[in-house]
Amino acid sequence: MSATTKRPRPWTTATLGGMASYLDGATIVTVGMSSVVLQEQFGLSAWAVGALNSVLMLMFATGAVVGGRLGDLLGRRAVYSVDLVIYAVGVLTVILAPNPTVLFAGVVVTGLAMGADVPTSLALMAEEAAEGRQSSTVAYSQTLWLAGVSVVQILGFFVGGWGPVATQILFGHLLLVSLAVWFMRRGVRESAAWQRSRTASASAPRRDLRAVFRRPYGMALLGTGLYFVISGIMPNTVGQFGAYLVVNLGHSTVRVFSLIGWGTMVVGIAIALLFQRLADSPLRRVLLMIGLASLALGPLAAIVGGYSVASLVVLFAMNTIAGTWAGEGLYKVWSQEVFPTEIRSTAQGITFGAARYVMAAFGLFTPTLVQRTPTLFMGILIALGAVATLIGLLWLPRLPQHGLVDANAHEPVDSVRTHKATEDTSTS
């Protein structure tokens, strides 16, 4: 193997790539946690606070679509080694913002750069994974996503009452981590699979953007996109508005929610580690079924329990399971498996973007639904869980796994199996 295609240590690449997910989770929680302080500091209205969080999600979606495509056209490293510098500039702008206009500008830049980093980094993780460990390597990104959320929650617990200084510390954490990861990423080589795809004659038709929407990949794009949108609404909504649910439905306090958050944090990381361990085994389907059941049982428990704090704890626990075993965690794995190298980042950017656009829109209506008709709100989540179950059990497992490549022949697994079957038939 030549020096240009020699792989670095897979888990080193996986960690540096997975830090995109760490920063994704940490950024969302940091902006949400800092909203109260920023509201007072800049005199923001309630609408402006909601808009600040929505802008982050919308820019992430846009960045994912654009960055995902650039990752396929220019290479993983071309995007991967630059976007965190842009991200750091955005975060620094937020820290130094003298007025709301500059604050929003910083959030826009931060969201765009973060969105571009995630699909590109996930593609690199999958392509540089050790043989037979692709799914587990990608699942590792979900563990790091939860780690990012957890670190910000812990920091927020200690500095939450420090006013504007707390906000600077929280965003300062994002700045330092992004610069450290960017520095370490400079030694990561380009994806060997992407390099091969640029010279293979059969790859040219797949590099065309139109290939993403045509057979045989169009159905995979539609299936993974619909699944992520539908299965991701509950984990995203409950995670984003957890404190709001505890205060307005459970008639409790933010402090109680913080205690619940610490408990679900520990459970969440344990769940992510288990998923990471089993992602390449047949037991992944068992986790999928438990996760899909959690999508419906969590909201149902809240309704049956009369929205008591105890019933909301069950909802949060189920939400944690669903988010990893049947939500974003599983979606990330499936996306690597069903798309070939040439369009993997593009396809994932499109589906990531579509999901974040829908989640941002759903979030605008969530507070009103929770206040006026909480049972309708929970009923919508149950219905979405039922639809996700049908897609997750009956559709996506049937998709050809174009992304699983034989390490020696560099052909899709289905193709390798077909050749093998032909050889067996000819020799018998």
Side-chain angles (χ1 to χ4, degrees):
M1 183 177 287
S2 67
T4 57
T5 58
K6 184 179 180 181
R7 292 185 176 185
R9 294 178 181 177
W11 286 102
T12 299
T13 302
T15 300
L16 293 176
M19 289 303 291
S21 294
Y22 175 99
L23 288 169
D24 175 25
T27 303
I28 292 172
V29 177
T30 295
V31 173
M33 191 175 290
S34 301
S35 294
V36 176
V37 177
L38 293 172
Q39 181 178 23
E40 182 178 348
Q41 181 180 351
F42 293 106
L44 302 178
S45 66
W47 181 90
V49 171
L52 189 69
N53 286 271
S54 292
V55 163
L56 178 69
M57 297 293 285
L58 292 172
M59 291 303 101
F60 180 100
T62 303
V65 174
V66 176
R69 184 57 182 161
L70 291 177
D72 282 335
L73 291 176
L74 306 178
R76 315 312 187 203
R77 195 176 187 280
V79 178
Y80 178 88
S81 59
V82 173
D83 49 20
L84 283 188
V85 177
I86 301 173
Y87 172 89
V89 170
V91 172
L92 184 61
T93 301
V94 172
I95 294 173
L96 301 177
N99 55 58
T101 301
V102 177
L103 173 66
F104 271 82
V107 170
V108 166
V109 174
T110 300
L112 286 171
M114 194 70 265
D117 198 45
V118 171
T120 307
S121 297
L122 289 174
L124 183 66
M125 290 175 71
E127 291 159 5
E128 292 296 289
E131 183 180 356
R133 299 290 294 170
Q134 184 189 67
S135 298
S136 297
T137 301
V138 176
Y140 177 41
S141 70
Q142 192 66 13
T143 304
L144 291 173
W145 189 92
L146 289 166
V149 171
S150 302
V151 169
V152 174
Q153 288 178 333
I154 293 171
L155 281 174
F157 180 83
F158 288 106
V159 305
W162 295 4
V165 175
T167 298
Q168 293 175 343
I169 291 174
L170 292 175
F171 280 99
H173 155 253
L174 301 179
L175 178 64
L176 291 176
V177 172
S178 62
L179 290 176
V181 173
W182 167 77
F183 181 81
M184 290 185 288
R185 279 182 175 184
R186 296 188 307 160
V188 175
R189 296 190 178 106
E190 181 57 84
S191 160
W194 184 85
Q195 288 179 320
R196 288 194 301 268
S197 76
R198 304 305 291 178
T199 57
S201 58
S203 295
R206 291 197 292 261
R207 290 199 292 268
D208 190 333
L209 178 60
R210 291 170 293 184
V212 182
F213 305 98
R214 294 175 176 173
R215 288 188 175 185
Y217 313 119
M219 293 304 292
L221 183 75
L222 180 62
T224 54
L226 281 175
Y227 182 80
F228 187 28
V229 168
I230 295 170
S231 68
I233 284 178
M234 186 184 98
N236 180 79
T237 304
V238 173
Q240 189 175 8
F241 294 97
Y244 191 87
L245 294 174
V246 168
V247 172
N248 289 275
L249 294 184
H251 304 292
S252 189
T253 64
V254 175
R255 184 174 180 81
V256 170
F257 170 73
S258 298
L259 294 174
I260 296 171
W262 279 65
T264 54
M265 174 185 71
V266 175
V267 172
I269 292 178
I271 285 170
L273 288 171
L274 180 60
F275 180 64
Q276 182 181 325
R277 183 176 182 83
L278 301 178
D280 286 296
S281 77
L283 290 176
R284 189 177 83 188
R285 185 171 177 83
V286 177
L287 300 185
L288 167 63
M289 290 188 288
I290 295 173
L292 290 170
S294 300
L295 283 173
L297 293 178
L300 181 61
I303 295 173
V304 173
Y307 310 112
S308 64
V309 172
S311 68
L312 292 178
V313 168
V314 175
L315 170 63
F316 295 147
M318 293 288 188
N319 181 67
T320 303
I321 294 172
T324 299
W325 291 355
E328 183 171 333
L330 184 62
Y331 152 81
K332 290 176 179 177
V333 171
W334 265 335
S335 292
Q336 313 310 316
E337 293 177 347
V338 299
F339 295 109
T341 298
E342 295 84 353
I343 56 171
R344 176 177 288 125
S345 183
T346 299
Q348 192 164 224
I350 292 171
T351 52
F352 243 116
R356 292 297 173 98
Y357 282 131
V358 173
M359 291 172 189
F362 192 84
L364 291 175
F365 300 99
T366 294
T368 301
L369 284 173
V370 169
Q371 274 195 338
R372 296 183 179 179
T373 54
T375 300
L376 174 61
F377 171 73
M378 295 296 173
I380 292 173
L381 296 183
I382 293 172
L384 291 173
V387 176
T389 299
L390 294 176
I391 297 174
L393 294 180
L394 302 180
W395 184 358
L396 294 189
R398 299 174 183 271
L399 293 173
Q401 295 181 320
H402 299 285
L404 293 180
V405 179
D406 179 77
N408 298 314
H410 307 309
E411 294 180 356
V413 170
D414 286 354
S415 176
V416 174
R417 289 172 179 168
T418 300
H419 289 303
K420 183 68 167 62
T422 303
E423 292 171 3
D424 291 346
T425 302
S426 62
T427 55
S428 58

